[in-house]
Amino acid sequence: MEEGVVNEILQGPLRDVFDSKQLITDVSGSGNNWAVGHNVFGSLYQEQILEKLRKSAEQCDCLQCFFIIHSMGGGTGSGLGTFLLKVLKDEFPEVYRFVTSVYPSGEDDVITSPYNSILAMKELNEHADCVLPIDNQSLFDIISKIDVIVNSGKLGKTVKPKSLVTSSARALKNRQEKPFDAMNNIVANLLLNLTSSARFEGSLNMDLNEISMNLVPFPQLHYLVSSLTPLYTLADVNIPPRRLDQMFSDAFSKDHQLIQADPKHSLYLACALMVRGNVQISDLRRNIERLKPSLQFVSWNQEGWKTSLCSVPPVGHSHSLLALANNTCVKPTFVELRERFMRLYKKKAHLHHYLQVEGMEESSFTEAVSSLSALIQEYNQLDATKSMPVQDFPRLSIAM
């Protein structure tokens, strides 16, 4: 909502990407307060937002889904972002809502981020179809690893001098600063791979609505862990391409995940592999068979794989892979968030800033934390089935 921030974008290298008539701003932001973003800016700008949404939707031949890209720790991203989610559900109930949510790290500089995140989580639970959680710490760790490779000189001249990876306001040279351009670049690549089937030809294309249909067996368990290989697909870092089989292994390693989690030691409900480039269906099948023994799937969905092949690779690469896993490994992120919330809430610290906003009551906080606890409990129940033996059900025989 900050006019200055949006104006900076309109004067920067991305100015031609956005239609300036479709942008909405206020003078200032929400002051790191979910209630201001949700209740104040939400009601103030609802009609204006709806009008611009309808205008965009009318230009679509086949409207598949809405993407909401927002941060959970601040006030506008969490508050107005989740208000918008409900608006979309009411106005376009048939259209899927995909949310890319950036979760705050433990060293977050917004003191009220646990409040904002928990209040936003309740809305995500109720109104999103798919959520791709991303945490700042994972993005920063990825960029730091690239930084180590760049500075070690192993790459020689393979890093473009003015690439996003190396030119984030020299942030890589100063570990205290966060290289936001390079971090955002990774999230942008996630979205590029996610939408590739809608934009390019492929022998096994996947509609966005198929992701939700195949990966979300229960309404609230719609949080998908994303991993990406290669991580820098805009030819910023021209590392020699990984062998195809190695690329599949990378997608299941922690180093390539956009959230800190451990899916290999947790339970898979389902998994999607979205491949781009010159890859055959036989390559997909071979790698799934190779990886299956090391991954634990729920007993009732042992074959829970969804695959897609898009023939056009990312710029500068021969192939790429985006893996989306519905896995119980997201639970620790939510447990930690609840603990950080409770530390503040037990002292009622900073609560008055929220309660003075019209429409906010203390029950909003108790309901939000109850919603998160119910979600954690659902994951607990699934985890409890981890050691159960997989039943080999007899095949259905048809009488002729």
Side-chain angles (χ1 to χ4, degrees):
M1 293 307 288
E2 280 186 60
E3 197 173 28
V5 176
V6 175
N7 285 341
E8 255 180 68
I9 293 170
L10 292 179
Q11 287 155 19
L14 296 177
R15 59 185 173 275
D16 297 330
V17 175
F18 299 97
D19 177 358
S20 57
K21 295 190 188 105
Q22 287 292 89
L23 298 175
I24 297 170
T25 56
D26 199 278
V27 177
S28 63
S30 305
N32 296 327
N33 187 330
W34 180 90
V36 173
H38 193 272
N39 294 15
V40 178
F41 284 145
S43 56
L44 201 58
Y45 287 96
Q46 180 172 358
E47 282 312 310
Q48 207 176 324
I49 290 169
L50 266 172
E51 181 195 329
K52 293 187 188 297
L53 273 170
R54 290 189 193 112
K55 187 179 171 186
S56 285
E58 281 164 12
Q59 292 172 1
C60 296
D61 297 322
C62 173
L63 181 56
Q64 276 204 11
C65 87
F66 290 106
F67 282 108
I68 294 181
I69 304 163
H70 73 138
S71 155
M72 298 283 279
T76 303
S78 66
L80 187 59
T82 54
F83 177 85
L84 183 55
L85 195 56
K86 188 172 186 311
V87 166
L88 289 171
K89 188 178 183 180
D90 293 342
E91 189 71 16
F92 303 92
E94 305 302 316
V95 183
Y96 282 88
R97 295 165 300 283
F98 276 68
V99 187
T100 307
S101 302
V102 181
Y103 282 71
S105 60
E107 296 86 47
D108 189 54
D109 58 356
V110 177
I111 292 169
T112 54
S113 69
Y115 285 163
N116 297 331
S117 301
I118 295 273
L119 290 162
M121 277 289 295
K122 180 176 183 286
E123 305 297 314
L124 292 180
N125 284 345
E126 292 175 6
H127 306 305
D129 290 301
C130 273
V131 179
L132 306 176
I134 291 165
D135 68 54
N136 270 328
Q137 194 56 50
S138 289
L139 298 179
F140 188 57
D141 289 348
I142 289 164
I143 298 303
S144 298
K145 280 176 197 135
I146 299 169
D147 180 26
V148 169
I149 297 171
V150 170
N151 290 335
S152 69
K154 285 179 188 171
L155 295 176
K157 293 178 181 174
T158 56
V159 181
K160 290 163 71 176
K162 289 191 177 177
S163 75
L164 275 177
V165 169
T166 54
S167 65
S168 311
R170 303 190 177 276
L172 286 171
K173 292 177 181 168
N174 179 357
R175 288 300 178 85
Q176 301 309 308
E177 263 186 80
K178 283 197 168 66
F180 291 115
D181 281 353
M183 290 160 76
N184 288 338
N185 195 21
I186 294 168
V187 182
N189 288 326
L190 159 69
L191 295 170
L192 287 174
N193 281 284
L194 194 60
T195 57
S196 59
S197 273
R199 296 182 291 118
F200 301 115
E201 290 296 315
S203 56
L204 190 65
N205 269 355
M206 189 195 299
D207 273 355
L208 289 160
N209 53 19
E210 288 182 66
I211 295 172
S212 180
M213 189 63 72
N214 287 275
L215 295 191
V216 182
F218 306 111
Q220 285 207 322
L221 303 184
H222 53 234
Y223 295 86
L224 309 179
V225 175
S226 50
S227 51
L228 201 55
T229 174
L231 285 159
Y232 13 81
T233 55
L234 287 183
D236 282 330
V237 180
N238 296 321
I239 291 173
R242 303 286 268 172
R243 287 185 303 109
L244 190 62
D245 288 9
Q246 184 60 47
M247 183 178 80
F248 281 89
S249 299
D250 286 347
F252 288 87
S253 86
K254 289 183 188 177
D255 289 348
H256 287 255
Q257 285 171 199
L258 305 196
I259 185 171
Q260 292 183 313
D262 190 5
K264 275 199 168 179
H265 294 98
S266 302
L267 200 58
Y268 280 85
L269 281 73
C271 185
L273 300 176
M274 305 179 78
V275 185
R276 294 177 64 181
N278 185 21
V279 182
Q280 306 304 314
I281 291 176
S282 57
D283 296 321
L284 268 172
R285 288 188 183 133
R286 183 183 72 253
N287 277 287
I288 287 173
E289 289 307 314
R290 179 174 66 85
L291 291 161
K292 256 165 86 171
S294 64
L295 309 173
Q296 194 167 0
F297 275 73
V298 284
S299 59
W300 40 264
N301 197 23
Q302 287 290 298
E303 302 298 321
W305 296 86
K306 178 70 180 166
T307 53
S308 84
L309 287 175
C310 169
S311 52
V312 180
V315 174
H317 290 273
S318 55
H319 42 247
S320 75
L321 169 62
L322 167 64
L324 297 175
N326 193 339
N327 189 295
T328 58
C329 67
V330 293
K331 183 181 73 177
T333 299
F334 301 150
V335 171
E336 188 196 344
L337 200 54
R338 183 175 63 181
E339 284 169 1
R340 289 175 60 205
F341 170 89
M342 290 312 295
R343 280 200 292 273
L344 278 180
Y345 189 65
K346 276 178 183 168
K347 302 287 184 188
K348 299 285 191 276
H350 301 282
L351 211 57
H352 64 286
H353 297 300
Y354 292 79
L355 298 180
Q356 66 194 18
V357 175
E358 193 178 339
M360 275 301 281
E361 294 173 7
E362 205 168 322
S363 60
S364 305
F365 290 86
T366 51
E367 285 167 15
V369 79
S370 295
S371 169
L372 184 61
S373 294
L375 180 67
I376 291 167
Q377 188 53 33
E378 282 197 57
Y379 282 114
N380 283 336
Q381 286 167 358
L382 279 168
D383 272 337
T385 68
K386 215 166 26 177
S387 52
M388 287 186 183
V390 177
Q391 289 179 289
D392 194 10
F393 292 105
R395 291 196 174 274
L396 186 68
S397 53
I398 299 169
M400 300 298 283

